[in-house]
Amino acid sequence: MTDVEALMWTLEKDPHLSSTFANITILDRSPDVERLRRRMERAVTVVPRLRQRVVPAFGRMAPPQWRDDPDVDLDWHVRRLAVAAPGDERAVLDVAATLAAEPFDRTRPLWRFTVLDGLEGGRAAMVQQIHHTITDGEGGVRMSVEFLDVERDAPEPAPIELVSLAEGGPGGPAGLAATVATSVGHVARRNLGIARRLVEESVGIAIHPSRVASLTTDAVDIAGSVLRQLAVADRAHSPLWTERSLRRRLEVLRLPLDDTKRAAKALGGSVNDVFVAAVAG
């Protein structure tokens, strides 16, 4: 894992800091079970992270690792539910809110798709839950082209060589040996980097003694910043988060995409910038 991925993975041991996001796709009819399964078998090959799980480093000496899971069970990751009558948007959002609040099994790949049947007008929906360490929201939408069609009875995608999900798993001796080797290598590289920086700093001070004063000032500034952070006793700086709980309710706000793009261009930003600014406002 990268440092950012490892941070998200570690922080969410506090359920308030979950790194899961969910996307709801409305389908004009209930998907064919076997066809959806074939597409998901293809997706876990095209997108390797969908068949990988997180394995802690040996002795926690290094960031966690992504390793192929030999026991990927598509029937566990792809589920079906029926929403209560009348199957309107509110019913879909209520089910999706419950699903999105469920934490992932940390011993499995970090994604889960749920098909919701019973929508009004013969439609269906799919709730796609993906951990942020796999991709972000935009990446999740791009990834969806592997398992969503934009037209009825679309042709099957070109065949690819499917990877056996029973190979290369982390459970055997080879997996343990690789984990230990990676962890030890990470510690060695980190220590070597620290030693190199110490040597460079020592040489720099010897050549430029005047740097001692600036280094002392930096150390004092850092210590002061840490103390200021520790002194913050309120639960949050924003009044919006003082009553934070684990309850979730989803709502939908619809905006014309073309107008949003024009606003983003006029203001020198992206559609995402407009979205974030609007939510913050």
Side-chain angles (χ1 to χ4, degrees):
M1 279 184 153
T2 66
D3 289 341
V4 173
E5 292 171 346
L7 178 63
M8 288 191 290
W9 172 254
T10 302
L11 284 178
E12 74 165 13
K13 291 179 180 178
D14 178 349
H16 288 92
L17 302 176
S18 172
S19 295
T20 299
F21 69 89
N23 178 64
I24 303 175
T25 303
I26 304 298
L27 310 172
D28 71 346
R29 63 178 176 181
S30 182
D32 177 83
V33 177
E34 291 305 318
R35 179 166 184 156
L36 177 59
R37 184 180 178 82
R38 289 196 303 271
R39 295 295 289 273
M40 293 313 305
E41 288 175 345
R42 174 188 173 88
V44 297
T45 297
V46 175
V47 186
R49 193 58 57 85
L50 294 179
R51 65 172 184 267
Q52 295 175 335
R53 68 185 183 99
V54 180
V55 179
F58 180 76
R60 312 282 178 176
M61 295 187 297
Q65 304 169 33
W66 290 106
R67 300 289 299 279
D68 279 357
D69 185 355
D71 301 315
V72 177
D73 181 2
L74 288 181
D75 293 330
W76 191 92
H77 288 279
V78 182
R79 307 174 178 185
R80 284 187 101 101
L81 294 174
V83 298
D88 55 8
E89 182 178 272
R90 183 71 261 160
V92 173
L93 294 177
D94 288 344
V95 173
T98 301
L99 294 173
E102 293 180 1
F104 285 115
D105 182 342
R106 291 167 74 90
T107 66
R108 298 175 183 265
L110 303 176
W111 61 278
R112 184 168 56 233
F113 294 172
T114 305
V115 176
L116 302 180
D117 291 311
L119 273 65
E120 54 189 358
R123 299 177 302 160
M126 179 187 287
V127 181
Q128 299 146 232
Q129 298 160 259
I130 303 176
H131 199 275
H132 221 310
T133 54
I134 293 180
T135 185
D136 58 14
E138 182 179 354
V141 173
R142 295 182 184 278
M143 187 188 302
S144 67
V145 301
E146 293 299 330
F147 45 82
L148 290 176
D149 294 325
V150 295
E151 58 181 317
R152 277 181 175 265
D153 303 315
E156 291 280 353
I160 60 173
E161 183 179 353
L162 296 180
V163 175
S164 172
L165 299 180
E167 298 176 357
L176 177 60
T179 300
V180 172
T182 301
S183 301
V184 172
H186 175 83
V187 172
R189 288 191 299 272
R190 182 180 61 189
N191 291 339
L192 181 62
I194 293 174
R196 185 179 65 248
R197 287 192 294 273
L198 286 174
V199 171
E200 291 172 349
E201 286 292 339
S202 299
V203 172
I205 291 174
I207 297 175
H208 303 287
S210 59
R211 290 181 56 190
V212 174
S214 64
L215 290 174
T216 302
T217 302
D218 291 342
V220 172
D221 290 343
I222 292 173
S225 176
V226 171
L227 290 174
R228 286 192 298 273
Q229 290 297 320
L230 293 176
V232 176
D234 59 319
R235 297 181 62 189
H237 291 293
S238 168
L240 298 176
W241 291 92
T242 56
E243 301 297 329
R244 182 169 56 174
S245 77
L246 294 177
R247 296 189 302 273
R248 298 289 181 266
R249 177 180 173 87
L250 302 184
E251 296 291 348
V252 175
L253 176 64
R254 291 178 170 84
L255 296 172
L257 180 59
D258 290 340
D259 290 348
T260 307
K261 288 180 177 179
R262 280 192 286 270
K265 184 176 181 180
L267 296 172
S270 66
V271 170
N272 194 60
D273 293 331
V274 173
F275 170 78
V276 173
V279 171

